[in-house]
Amino acid sequence: MIPYYSPHFSVADLLKTIFCKNAEDKLCNYFKKLTGKKYVLITSSCRSALYLAYQSIEKKGIVHTSPLTCKVSLLPIIASGNQIYFNDIKKDDWTIDPSTIPASISKKSVAIQAIHFGGFPCDMRSLRKIANDYKLILIEDCAQGFGSFNNKIISGSFGDISCFSLTKNLYGIGGGIFATNNEEWFNKAQKIQMSFPREKYYKIFYRILSSALLSSNLFIIYNVLKKINYIYVSIYHHLNNNIKNQMSVELRKELIKPPRLYSKYFVVRLQKMLKLIDKRKSIANLIKIQLNKSKYIFQYSDNNISSYAKLYTVNQDYQSVNLIRLLRKDGIECMHLSHKFGELYQKKLIPQFEIDRKAYKNYSLIHDNLLSIPLNESMTAELLNKMISILKRRGI
Ligand SMILES: *Cc1c(COP(=O)(O)O)cnc(C)c1O
């Protein structure tokens, strides 16, 4: 199987963390410099950072955001007692279309959540202006936008609160970032996080082990481990069925104090991570050149400099759910927006969404036919060619 992703885990780097001093300060300073924000809080994940963002602003109401995203970026909005209003996306870079926002603002609107998509940043200048004009809080979800630029604006610098993930595009084993210039919100977020439980040791061990297995291509063992974890979580949720809101149950496991190890691992590996990002971008380019552009392989646009490269294609001949199944049989692990690719989860979040879907012109054109193809930095030329020929055979 050609894997979709590798976390590039390194045992040697894990051992080096033993000698890493002042990791938290270094990590905070790095993100202060990157975003220009005065206050940076290390969290256990981007989800946790987003949740803290909504809790710290102490306003509840409607949050305007993009429907073309994975569920995890929306859970914190719902779990903190807000409602979502989906705005359509732009045709060119698939991020939220700012021009659709003003007409959809109501008295209940409190915030805009900008979600940078697949490394592509949102149009932050326009979003900033709308947020100022209508007195809305601008929250940036930079989980897929680390280091990316839009018209010279770096992701994370224009939001009132900017949230990052230290896993995925940054190849860490866990952790997230909450960054703001508002001291009050920062203090509030810090205080709330203090009330969170500590991460359990076996969970940290599970994360390390799954990163190691994925990085070593030991998928069979990894899948067994994932199944066991899934069964455990299902039983746990079943036993705790007094917790009614499924959304908050899914988020709750993220609401923990960030283990120090996550910061240390990040600091030890920062230079390597930056190199991996470059490599990923160059491999993305290689693949893109060879595939049929008429099917629209999405990677670069003129205004933007993406960071975290992800390769998407839209193939109108196939529903992506079916195409993913076929490609898996061919030995290529592809994804949709989230791992549960068959599920139109937006419907669960907002019941009318299916009915209103036609109103989302660009979203409707893309969502069901979207395919995210593997982009693995350690792929050999041979595997790369094999993947490309299979994709071509499937008409991509
Ligand atoms: C993965 C992801 C998140 C969540 O990041 P974690 O650090 O895993 O919590 C949030 N938003 C987007 C857009 C993501 O892709």
Side-chain angles (χ1 to χ4, degrees), residues 44-48 50 69-70 72-73 115-116 141 143-144 164-168 175-176 254:
S44 66
S45 66
C46 185
R47 274 163 278 181
S48 179
L50 285 167
T69 184
C70 47
V72 289
S73 62
I115 305 173
H116 307 305
D141 177 350
Q144 297 190 9
F164 291 84
S165 172
L166 301 186
T167 48
K168 281 195 211 159
E254 296 297 320

Side-chain angles (χ1 to χ4, degrees), residues 71-85:
K71 185 161 76 178
V72 289
S73 62
L74 303 175
L75 282 179
I77 303 177
I78 306 273
S80 47
N82 296 288
Q83 292 124 43
I84 293 173
Y85 184 96

